Amino acid sequence: MKKNLSLISLALLSQFSFADVEYKLSITQPQHHLGNVEITFPKSAQSYVDIQLPDWRTGRYEILDMANGIRFFAASSESGKQLKWQKTDKNTWRVHLNEPTELSISYQVYANELALRSRHIDDSHAFIDASGFFMFSDSFRQEPVTVSLDVPDNWRSVSGMDFANSKHSFKAANYDVLLDSPIETGINELHKFTVDGRDYELVIWGEGNYDVDLMLRDLKKLVKTGSLIWHDYPYDRYVFMVHATSGARGATEHLNSTIIQRHRDKFASRDDYIGFISTAAHEFIHTWNVKNYRPDGLVPYDYVDINYSDLLWLVEGSTSYLEDYLLLSAGITTNKEFYKSLTRTLNRHLQTPGREVQSVADTSFDKWINQGGDHGKNYSTNIYSEGALVSMALDIDLIDISEGKVSYRDVHSELYKQHKLPNSFNSADVKRILKQISGNDYSKWWQTYVDNPAIIDFDGLFEKVGLEHVYPSGTVKVASIDGSTQNAGQLLELTHVARGGNAWQAGLTAGDKIVALNKHHVRKDLPSTLALFNPGEIVEVNFIRRHKLMTVQLQLGEKANRSKVIRAISSPSSRQANLYKAWLGVEHPNSQ
């Protein structure tokens, strides 16, 4: 309904509306996370204009209620006359116009949501995602925009947008470009480089144990890999923004840039660094996958409502899967590091009972409401890890039936060629492309692994490409309760109880605090506590629930003390070695 209203608003545009929308952000109280926004909309003859702040931001499929930081909203005409307005919902301000006029809007914004990567201001910087700062009107959404910043003199401003008329001002073709082009302004370090005629920037806010030379070396390798999948690059200039923080972590893709947040001390070790460069690869892939082709329901973006799609697994999960391929192909990571990453994803999947309940299509559609925690793990899946494994299964199947001539990368290449924005695609389009490139009908495969919970024969898949998923040597069986805990002082608090497992059947649930097993007080963690007992043994569990001491009988289960690992088989056949190379772009480590 809101999209229809947007079309009606556009139809009511007057002949006055074709001019720039001007935004200005003044940061005068950074220590209090406050900024003042002024907006000038072009002249309009409408009786009223609805001014809105987005309810979510691209790249995070969750309603964020960002209008909660807005105060002191005011509206005036071009002559300075105050205009009447009222809020019609939580993030819409309706301004009434008595005559044709330019419209000036002002308000204060509270920006202290660094971890959401929507808005943050402090005395050292501001991270400006337009969705958290700048209101819009559907009436002027397609007009050119300019943004000017009033910030301290010693701050530097960086964005994927082009500069306008100063070092703290930018311009964009319309609001959609502005919203997908964040600005980092503040005390930062900036590094520029060029690869294959395209310009890149690395801007870092915050001090940390990062190695800039290493980051630059590998980013130069990474940005060359786009041609391994797609036929062209959709940008001439791209910005990597990095926040070295004390707590915020995560990343978000944008049209011409990405923002990556990591703890300031999580760059130096090899594992931490791979975490950083993998994130960079993930967001880089998004420059194509979602920023230049995306599924129905996300085209065009509706910033004030939920954007449903049953293909978010292809948006995010496929990106997670392809990131490791790019890193390995570029020589940034090794075969063993690829196996380690894939092992982590697969083992997480196998330890999630929700994989038997929810399909990747359903978890995509429900991404906006899916919850984490104990219930989520038991009854839901994850568009990232689950989508990555379904993508891998499809990739290996394509490579196997085509003798290495066709891969899942070809699917994404065709999506970019055939469904580049403003077009979109749906599941039928993907299945059509699969048949086009392979000659096979993938409808049954899709129903089995996408539309229903994916029960994948991983051993069979890995055998095709010369890998195996096995327990490392020295693994032994130990007692288990089919759950996990966290230390709660002198107690162990259950954080997850696997659906149908031993603790579940005994009546234990997340939140219960275990005091003792067979009158043995719990130790500092669950493994050392269970080490006192044997698999199959029946134990008495004393625990606290609702501040009362309770007791149940529980028969201990059995599990391996180590997780399975993925590794290369020692003697692959020539076919396995060939398919491995077609799959990952590098030689099988044990090929003859």
Side-chain angles (χ1 to χ4, degrees):
M1 182 62 182
K2 290 189 177 182
K3 290 184 179 179
N4 290 336
L5 290 175
S6 298
L7 294 174
I8 293 171
S9 297
L10 289 172
L12 293 174
L13 282 177
S14 76
Q15 68 270 28
F16 302 111
S17 63
F18 300 101
D20 287 8
V21 178
E22 299 176 357
Y23 292 90
K24 181 179 180 181
L25 172 64
S26 300
I27 301 177
T28 56
Q29 301 181 67
Q31 66 274 23
H32 298 301
H33 315 293
L34 295 173
N36 296 315
V37 174
E38 300 172 40
I39 311 172
T40 301
F41 290 105
K43 182 173 285 191
S44 173
Q46 297 171 236
S47 59
Y48 66 84
V49 176
D50 283 344
I51 310 297
Q52 298 178 294
L53 191 71
D55 230 2
W56 65 288
R57 63 159 180 75
T58 63
R60 189 181 183 111
Y61 306 100
E62 176 186 353
I63 295 297
L64 299 177
D65 291 326
M66 290 184 287
N68 59 11
I70 304 300
R71 295 294 183 271
F72 307 120
F73 182 92
S76 60
S77 67
E78 59 187 306
S79 64
K81 182 180 178 180
Q82 294 297 302
L83 299 174
K84 293 182 179 180
W85 60 270
Q86 79 267 10
K87 289 190 75 172
T88 58
D89 60 36
K90 61 189 173 72
N91 60 320
T92 303
W93 289 256
R94 177 164 292 175
V95 180
H96 297 276
L97 307 181
N98 298 323
E99 58 185 4
T101 182
E102 286 188 351
L103 176 58
S104 295
I105 302 295
S106 64
Y107 52 88
Q108 181 189 81
V109 60
Y110 177 67
N112 193 24
E113 295 177 340
L114 182 63
L116 293 179
R117 296 178 293 285
S118 58
R119 59 182 182 219
H120 188 253
I121 296 173
D122 67 15
D123 57 356
S124 68
H125 93 132
F127 177 72
I128 304 163
D129 186 302
S131 61
F133 282 89
F134 299 139
M135 296 183 185
F136 74 102
S137 169
D138 267 344
S139 299
F140 308 106
R141 181 168 162 177
Q142 298 305 317
E143 304 305 312
V145 301
T146 59
V147 179
S148 61
L149 307 176
D150 183 1
V151 296
D153 290 340
N154 62 335
W155 284 20
R156 173 171 34 221
S157 298
V158 181
S159 175
M161 292 182 287
D162 292 333
F163 283 106
N165 53 16
S166 77
K167 64 179 182 179
H168 296 298
S169 65
F170 300 93
K171 58 185 178 181
N174 52 49
Y175 182 80
D176 294 85
V177 175
L178 168 64
L179 190 130
D180 231 340
S181 307
I183 302 169
E184 173 62 34
T185 181
I187 301 169
N188 53 57
E189 59 176 290
L190 178 65
H191 304 272
K192 299 182 179 182
F193 59 97
T194 300
V195 175
D196 295 335
R198 286 174 288 273
D199 295 327
Y200 298 88
E201 297 177 18
L202 169 64
V203 57
I204 306 174
W205 167 70
E207 298 178 353
N209 61 0
Y210 46 79
D211 181 339
V212 171
D213 290 338
L214 177 61
M215 294 164 76
L216 290 172
R217 185 197 73 186
D218 285 345
L219 288 175
K220 290 175 183 178
K221 293 180 180 178
L222 172 63
V223 298
K224 292 176 71 69
T225 61
S227 58
L228 296 177
I229 302 177
W230 300 281
H231 66 281
D232 67 22
Y233 282 68
Y235 61 83
D236 294 318
R237 178 171 158 269
Y238 190 91
V239 180
F240 292 94
M241 300 178 182
V242 176
H243 288 170
T245 74
S246 297
R249 55 180 297 179
T252 302
E253 72 277 4
H254 288 285
L255 186 64
N256 44 34
S257 57
T258 181
I259 170 64
I260 301 171
Q261 296 176 328
R262 292 186 66 82
H263 190 283
R264 63 183 73 253
D265 297 327
K266 293 292 184 179
F267 290 88
S269 74
R270 181 61 182 172
D271 282 349
D272 285 341
Y273 178 73
I274 289 177
F276 161 75
I277 200 65
S278 296
T279 302
H282 183 102
E283 309 309 332
F284 177 65
I285 291 169
H286 272 315
T287 311
W288 290 268
N289 183 16
V290 86
K291 292 308 173 187
N292 275 277
Y293 58 91
R294 57 177 178 259
D296 290 351
L298 300 178
V299 182
Y301 284 134
D302 184 342
Y303 301 126
V304 295
D305 205 352
I306 291 175
N307 292 221
Y308 290 106
S309 171
D310 61 0
L311 287 169
L312 287 183
W313 69 268
L314 189 147
V315 168
E316 293 292 351
S318 295
T319 300
S320 294
Y321 171 64
L322 291 170
E323 71 188 52
D324 288 329
Y325 164 77
L326 291 192
L327 293 175
L328 182 60
S329 298
I332 296 172
T333 56
T334 65
N335 280 291
K336 288 184 178 180
E337 288 168 337
F338 173 84
Y339 306 153
K340 185 175 182 179
S341 176
L342 184 54
T343 294
R344 185 166 51 245
T345 301
L346 177 53
N347 288 345
R348 186 185 302 122
H349 162 83
L350 295 175
Q351 295 161 11
T352 303
R355 74 185 189 279
E356 301 168 342
V357 177
Q358 193 174 54
S359 69
V360 288
D362 288 340
T363 198
S364 294
F365 194 85
D366 285 348
K367 175 64 179 72
W368 297 82
I369 60 171
N370 265 351
Q371 57 181 325
D374 180 64
H375 181 267
K377 193 170 184 178
N378 276 325
Y379 292 96
S380 304
T381 53
N382 179 294
I383 60 172
Y384 293 88
S385 56
E386 197 77 1
L389 293 173
V390 169
S391 298
M392 180 190 72
L394 180 53
D395 195 11
I396 294 178
D397 191 78
L398 284 167
I399 289 169
D400 178 42
I401 65 173
S402 70
E403 294 294 333
K405 296 180 177 64
V406 174
S407 76
Y408 188 52
R409 301 187 296 277
D410 296 309
V411 175
H412 283 267
S413 176
E414 290 301 319
L415 285 171
Y416 182 49
K417 290 177 183 176
Q418 300 181 32
H419 297 278
K420 189 174 182 180
L421 291 174
N423 298 317
S424 62
F425 63 90
N426 56 32
S427 297
D429 293 317
V430 182
K431 285 181 275 189
R432 177 183 51 77
I433 288 173
L434 283 166
K435 187 171 185 179
Q436 171 193 326
I437 64 175
S438 71
N440 286 15
D441 186 349
Y442 269 82
S443 298
K444 185 176 180 180
W445 190 100
W446 195 273
Q447 183 179 14
T448 301
Y449 297 106
V450 176
D451 293 333
N452 285 287
I455 309 302
I456 299 172
D457 176 12
F458 290 105
D459 289 335
L461 283 177
F462 292 143
E463 189 274 334
K464 295 177 187 297
V465 291
L467 298 181
E468 58 185 359
H469 187 219
V470 295
Y471 288 109
S473 60
T475 300
V476 297
K477 299 295 184 180
V478 295
S480 167
I481 64 170
D482 293 328
S484 55
T485 65
Q486 64 182 8
N487 187 282
Q490 298 297 308
L491 310 173
L492 291 178
E493 181 178 356
L494 283 163
T495 55
H496 172 61
V497 176
R499 175 176 48 81
N502 299 70
W504 177 282
Q505 293 180 20
L508 293 169
T509 190
D512 289 343
K513 297 179 176 64
I514 300 176
V515 179
L517 273 65
N518 275 2
K519 303 190 185 304
H520 289 274
H521 185 258
V522 295
R523 300 190 175 187
K524 65 178 181 177
D525 56 48
L526 187 60
S528 59
T529 298
L530 293 176
L532 301 172
F533 307 96
N534 296 313
E537 190 173 346
I538 296 175
V539 297
E540 181 181 83
V541 182
N542 302 120
F543 65 98
I544 294 174
R545 180 187 294 171
R546 295 188 300 272
H547 302 286
K548 292 183 178 180
L549 184 64
M550 306 176 73
T551 302
V552 297
Q553 298 289 318
L554 183 152
Q555 183 172 21
L556 296 174
E558 180 182 87
K559 74 169 190 176
N561 68 332
R562 300 183 188 179
S563 297
K564 284 185 174 182
V565 297
I566 295 170
R567 66 188 185 192
I569 63 174
S570 57
S571 300
S573 66
S574 59
R575 186 177 192 275
Q576 287 174 317
N578 290 336
L579 294 188
Y580 183 96
K581 185 172 183 179
W583 178 38
L584 297 179
V586 297
E587 298 287 346
H588 189 287
N590 298 323
S591 61
Q592 301 300 317

